[in-house]
Amino acid sequence: MIENIIHNNENLNVSLNKKKIEVSGYFSDGSRAFLLNYGIFEETSIRIYDFKVFRKREGLGTNVLTEFELCSKKNGFKKIFGELTNNPDYSPPEVLIGFYSKMGFDVRPKKRGMQYAEISKNI
C-alpha cells in the first residue's frame, strides 16, 4: 500500500506483505524503520492492529502514517481506526494519545484489559 517514503533525506526500502497485510520499511543500513499491520473491514475501513516505529522522535511515524492515509484514501477507503494498548514495547499512553491527536484522529478513552483508547479518523 505505501509506495515510497523519504525520511531525513534517506529513501526507505518499503515492502508490502499481502499475506499478512503488513507494510514494513528498512533504512539503507538494513535496520528496521517501521512496521504497520492492518486489516480491511467492509471494504471501506482499515483497522490498524500494530504500528511501531523503531527510531522515535524523528518524525518517521508522522511520515509513515501520512503516507498510509494518502494511499488508503487513493484506494477508496473512508476510515482508519484502531485501539491503543498499554504495552512496554510501545510509547507510553500519553505520547501515543498526543501523536494520534496531532495526526487528526479522534481519541476516545476506553477501559478494557490493556486497551486504553480507541482511535478513528475519516479520510
Side-chain angles (χ1 to χ4, degrees):
M1 182 174 271
I2 297 177
E3 298 165 5
N4 188 22
I5 294 177
I6 297 174
H7 178 69
N8 292 341
N9 296 319
E10 184 172 10
N11 188 12
L12 298 183
N13 179 13
V14 178
S15 62
L16 172 65
N17 183 335
K18 292 182 180 180
K19 290 185 179 184
K20 292 184 178 180
I21 311 185
E22 172 184 291
V23 181
S24 59
Y26 293 85
F27 292 107
S28 58
D29 66 4
S31 65
R32 183 169 253 183
F34 70 90
L35 172 68
L36 196 155
N37 291 315
Y38 63 95
I40 297 171
F41 286 82
E42 299 176 6
E43 298 182 23
T44 60
S45 298
I46 292 181
R47 179 180 181 143
I48 296 175
Y49 287 110
D50 190 15
F51 179 36
K52 188 166 186 175
V53 175
F54 294 90
R55 290 188 190 169
K56 297 181 192 250
R57 301 284 189 194
E58 293 182 2
L60 179 57
T62 299
N63 291 344
V64 171
L65 193 56
T66 299
E67 182 65 23
F68 186 73
E69 286 180 31
L70 290 172
C71 289
S72 298
K73 186 174 184 174
K74 185 170 83 174
N75 284 285
F77 294 98
K78 306 290 183 205
K79 182 178 181 178
I80 297 175
F81 68 100
E83 294 178 327
L84 302 181
T85 303
N86 196 1
N87 184 318
D89 292 337
Y90 295 90
S91 297
E94 60 275 5
V95 171
L96 290 175
I97 288 170
F99 170 73
Y100 283 102
S101 295
K102 174 187 86 166
M103 296 299 297
F105 280 76
D106 178 33
V107 180
R108 292 181 303 275
K110 177 182 181 178
K111 298 281 187 194
R112 189 174 81 198
M114 292 180 62
Q115 298 161 346
Y116 61 85
E118 292 178 332
I119 58 169
S120 66
K121 181 178 184 179
N122 293 325
I123 53 174

